[in-house]
Amino acid sequence: VFALLAILAPPVGAAEDYASLPQAMRALAKGPTLVARVDAANWLARRRGRAVEPAARALAKALGDPLSPVRRAALNGLVKLEARNHVVAIRALLARERDANVLPAALIALGTLGAPAEDGARIDAFAEHPVPAVRAGVLTGLARLPHRLARVRSMAALTLDDRADPGFTLRAAALLALARAGERQDLTQARATYVEGDGHRYWFARSAYARVLAALDPDPVESLYAMMADPDSRVAVTAAEGLARSGNPRTLLSLLAHTDARIRIAAVGGVEQAALVEAVPRLRSRARRDTSRQVRWAAARALFRLEDPLGDDLMLVAVTARQPAIWAEALALLAERTGEA
């Protein structure tokens, strides 16, 4: 399941393959096309070690690019690099930015990298913006700071109906924010909003609901277990991860041996996302002997992400696989580890 998604990944040798950090920085600053500059920003966002700070400087400078997709890619890159040294540049961008396609990324970046005392008011200033995606960015940004207004704004958003919030965008963002900034008593309203508003229609709302259950429900095991059978793997993995985050890692580990391969895949994904190193022996068994190829590949990927030697070996084998989806994702994972395209 996870490997199939790699078909959509850019091919090896695409425009984002740079020989050096200076070359990528030049492409970001002076690339002849939008695609070239966005590719350069994405490449710089994967730097590691001593390359992080020069990459972050280049991304911060790109916040002044005239093209909105480049500014958005630069903001996302600064978040990935955890570039708190460049929060001043993000504040400056937010003060002048008018593009609704960039503002959500700016609000989330400031919430992730900023300071509650200084940046709560800056983010909350956009709480009445006419574009729902921007208001959703406010909720996420405030929750990530975290700021006391995150709970206030999120609880208010939960009272919206389909006319005020078509597509459940704001209500899903509110659920995610409450998973970070909510209190146990908020679960009653969160559950009512999800059920009465038919949140189950949208995968992102189901995923958000799984997160809030894991964070606020004192006994979420039964609900999260049921959500692990969701037909959308993103929801299933979020529910599985929720078992670990809610203090039920043993339940999650036991599901690695479930009779349903879909549940095993979700359990592997949850283990990976929660970084449960105690699951490594069971993951090794799944990677070697599971009857499902999808489970074996998911376990191999999780082992690699958890930096287990068997995962490294399996990735090196996978790059020689005949199936394009397998070797493409293996190459992408290796690139993620090394910081090279």
Side-chain angles (χ1 to χ4, degrees):
V1 172
F2 299 107
L4 293 176
L5 299 175
I7 295 173
L8 301 177
V12 179
E16 65 173 53
D17 193 3
Y18 299 100
S20 66
L21 184 66
Q23 182 186 5
M25 293 167 67
R26 286 193 298 271
L28 176 59
K30 301 179 180 180
T33 66
L34 166 65
V35 171
R37 301 213 290 276
V38 170
D39 281 346
N42 293 336
W43 190 90
L44 289 167
R46 296 196 299 270
R47 298 311 91 196
R48 297 292 182 269
R50 289 181 294 179
V52 166
E53 180 52 30
R57 286 198 300 269
L59 290 168
K61 188 173 181 180
L63 296 181
D65 193 283
L67 297 177
S68 60
V70 178
R71 299 197 299 278
R72 188 168 61 243
L75 286 162
N76 293 336
L78 289 169
V79 170
K80 289 179 181 178
L81 295 177
E82 300 180 1
R84 288 181 170 80
N85 291 342
H86 298 280
V87 70
V88 172
I90 298 173
R91 290 169 181 157
L93 176 140
L94 190 61
R96 65 177 183 269
E97 187 62 65
R98 295 297 178 266
D99 193 321
N101 292 314
V102 178
L103 281 171
L107 293 163
I108 292 170
L110 189 56
T112 305
L113 304 174
E118 297 180 56
D119 297 312
R122 287 186 174 94
I123 294 173
D124 194 59
F126 293 85
E128 304 301 326
H129 196 279
V131 177
V134 176
R135 300 202 300 278
V138 169
L139 299 179
T140 304
L142 289 173
R144 288 192 178 188
L145 270 175
H147 193 276
R148 60 177 179 79
L149 284 174
R151 180 170 178 259
V152 175
R153 294 291 188 189
S154 296
M155 291 299 290
L158 289 183
T159 66
L160 299 174
D161 58 20
D162 280 350
R163 288 176 299 175
D165 181 29
F168 217 86
T169 302
L170 283 167
R171 284 168 288 179
L175 291 173
L176 284 173
L178 288 173
R180 287 177 175 265
E183 298 178 5
R184 184 154 290 178
Q185 62 263 33
D186 301 336
L187 182 60
T188 301
Q189 180 62 58
R191 182 178 283 116
T193 294
Y194 178 78
V195 173
E196 296 169 12
D198 292 329
H200 63 86
R201 295 171 292 172
Y202 309 98
W203 77 264
F204 54 87
R206 299 197 302 275
S207 183
Y209 187 56
R211 285 198 179 276
V212 83
L213 285 174
L216 303 182
D217 192 336
D219 186 17
V221 173
E222 184 176 349
S223 298
L224 292 174
Y225 172 69
M227 296 183 81
M228 284 178 65
D230 194 282
D232 192 304
S233 63
R234 293 167 293 190
V235 179
V237 169
T238 300
E241 181 189 4
L243 286 174
R245 294 190 180 280
S246 61
N248 296 281
R250 291 185 179 179
T251 301
L252 178 57
L253 292 177
S254 70
L255 293 175
L256 290 171
H258 197 278
T259 55
D260 189 333
R262 295 174 305 165
I263 300 295
R264 297 200 301 279
I265 290 171
V268 170
V271 163
E272 177 187 330
Q273 292 297 318
L276 288 181
V277 293
E278 58 265 43
V280 165
R282 302 187 197 205
L283 290 174
R284 289 174 183 162
S285 176
R286 290 293 136 205
R288 289 182 175 127
R289 292 183 286 274
D290 198 280
T291 56
S292 165
R293 185 194 307 182
Q294 289 93 339
V295 175
R296 293 197 301 272
W297 175 243
R301 167 181 164 156
L303 286 168
F304 181 80
R305 285 272 176 80
L306 293 173
E307 300 188 1
D308 181 72
L310 178 59
D312 296 350
D313 294 343
L314 292 172
M315 282 305 118
L316 293 175
V317 172
V319 296
T320 66
R322 292 183 179 181
Q323 301 94 330
I326 297 294
W327 60 253
E329 186 170 12
L331 286 172
L333 288 168
L334 288 166
E336 181 183 285
R337 168 77 63 81
T338 63
E340 298 297 330

